[in-house]
Amino acid sequence: MTDKYCVIGNPISHSKSPDIHAAFAAATGQDIAYERCLAPLDGFADTVRDLVAQGYRGANVTLPFKLEAAALATRLEARARLAGAVNTLRFEGGEIVGDNTDGPGLVADIVRNAGVPLTGKRVLLLGAGGAARGVILPFLNEKPKAIVIANRTRATADALVAHFADHVAYSGQISACGFADIAGPFDVVVNATSASLSSDLPPVPASAFRAGTLALDMMYGKEPTPFMAFAASHGATVRDGLGMLVEQAAEAFLTWRGVRPETSALLARMRAS
Ligand code: NDP
């Protein structure tokens, strides 16, 4: 029988996830159906319960429901618990299991696709919202030299560092600062702010970059973003968030189906179109 999955969000019509998972299913021979699911802004929990009742096996979760999904899950994988955000749900054995594959997806895109190892590197993470929270533990697992989290609202970055200091043994490498205090250059700079959504440049100083810095904007589909243009003008190699999108989907597919699809051909096709 075909196993059913979907991506839940509001809005959702723009989502590329159904195309990505259809390609993964075809490439791996898995019998799944995957569709878009629009949840009312005040109806996320009811939507999920309805999907469970209809026999769905799992779902991806996107804006604005990632925090609500973490609260709704009856069990959380460690990386989702630490992030406080869920982008992947599994419905199994009467449980709603929450996971977060955004961070592993970003690490896979940087390390495998861009060919930039994070071990021993200085990483600057711009932003302290849901997307930033999800990537900190997977970044730490790569043993970078330092992770600096810079946020417009400094207190949110401080709180994030304190949160990870309480939970992760090797969190000494993480520190927080405001944009004005960023002391570069960095090997890798990730824009996890939502500034690119409104075509704004987060106030990152040029000194954050050097020739060869990898500057990755989590945003995709609107490139080059002001962040990418600014970073490139200061010598950085730039990358958008499309690879992260495809890799987080591959990680989700792995948690559901036990097989991690090959991603490079699909990513190349999506970039070409
Ligand atoms: P949130 O709303 O949770 O967080 C937004 C963050 O951006 C906050 O830290 C906020 O700072 C900061 N911010 C907003 N505007 C500005 C600005 N003009 N200048 C500086 N900082 C700003 O959003 P998410 O974390 O969920 O998403 C962030 C981005 O990541 C989005 O563009 C999203 O599309 C993208 N994303 C991409 C994914 C992918 O697969 N490629 C997956 C997940 C997210 P403050 O605290 O001061 O308000």
Side-chain angles (χ1 to χ4, degrees):
M1 198 175 79
T2 303
D3 290 332
K4 293 185 289 186
Y5 299 87
C6 65
V7 55
I8 312 169
N10 185 332
I12 199 62
S13 58
H14 66 286
S15 175
K16 296 181 194 300
S17 292
D19 306 325
I20 294 172
H21 283 279
F24 288 165
T28 58
Q30 295 280 315
D31 185 12
I32 71 161
Y34 188 111
E35 60 197 32
R36 294 178 185 85
C37 175
L38 178 71
L41 289 175
D42 60 353
F44 175 73
D46 285 344
T47 301
V48 171
R49 288 190 196 105
D50 206 36
L51 294 170
V52 173
Q54 288 180 54
Y56 277 73
R57 301 288 301 274
N60 283 127
V61 180
T62 188
L63 288 174
F65 298 123
K66 290 185 183 183
L67 302 187
E68 228 180 303
L72 182 70
T74 58
R75 181 156 67 83
L76 288 173
E77 300 291 2
R79 58 194 184 186
R81 191 167 52 247
L82 213 48
V86 157
N87 80 328
T88 303
L89 295 170
R90 293 197 310 277
F91 309 139
E92 62 184 24
E95 295 230 65
I96 299 174
V97 184
D99 201 351
N100 190 318
T101 68
D102 280 335
L106 178 61
V107 168
D109 187 51
I110 292 174
V111 176
R112 289 192 217 167
N113 299 343
V116 176
L118 289 164
T119 311
K121 299 290 176 62
R122 292 192 78 223
V123 178
L124 174 63
L125 184 59
L126 305 175
R133 295 177 72 95
V135 305
I136 293 171
L137 182 63
F139 270 10
L140 282 169
N141 288 342
E142 297 296 306
K143 307 270 190 291
K145 184 173 180 188
I147 300 177
V148 177
I149 303 169
N151 197 45
R152 185 175 57 180
T153 309
R154 167 73 193 264
T156 315
D158 285 336
L160 207 49
V161 169
H163 173 72
F164 276 84
D166 281 350
H167 292 86
V168 183
Y170 39 88
S171 61
Q173 306 127 312
I174 325 178
S175 60
C177 68
F179 279 95
D181 309 316
I182 291 173
F186 291 85
D187 302 302
V188 176
V189 180
V190 173
N191 182 18
T193 75
S194 50
S196 299
L197 285 172
S198 42
S199 298
D200 289 331
L201 176 67
V204 55
S207 60
F209 309 100
R210 59 163 172 74
T213 294
L214 175 67
L216 186 148
D217 198 329
M218 284 194 183
M219 177 84 194
Y220 55 86
K222 238 187 176 183
E223 50 275 8
T225 64
F227 168 80
M228 290 164 71
F230 182 72
S233 73
H234 295 286
T237 302
V238 295
R239 197 165 177 84
D240 68 6
L242 189 64
M244 175 184 176
L245 176 77
V246 171
E247 296 296 341
Q248 65 76 28
E251 291 286 334
F253 196 90
L254 172 64
T255 70
W256 291 329
R257 311 302 301 180
V259 52
R260 195 184 196 285
E262 206 279 320
T263 52
S264 54
L266 174 63
L267 190 51
R269 270 207 312 279
M270 289 177 75
R271 284 210 188 286
S273 68

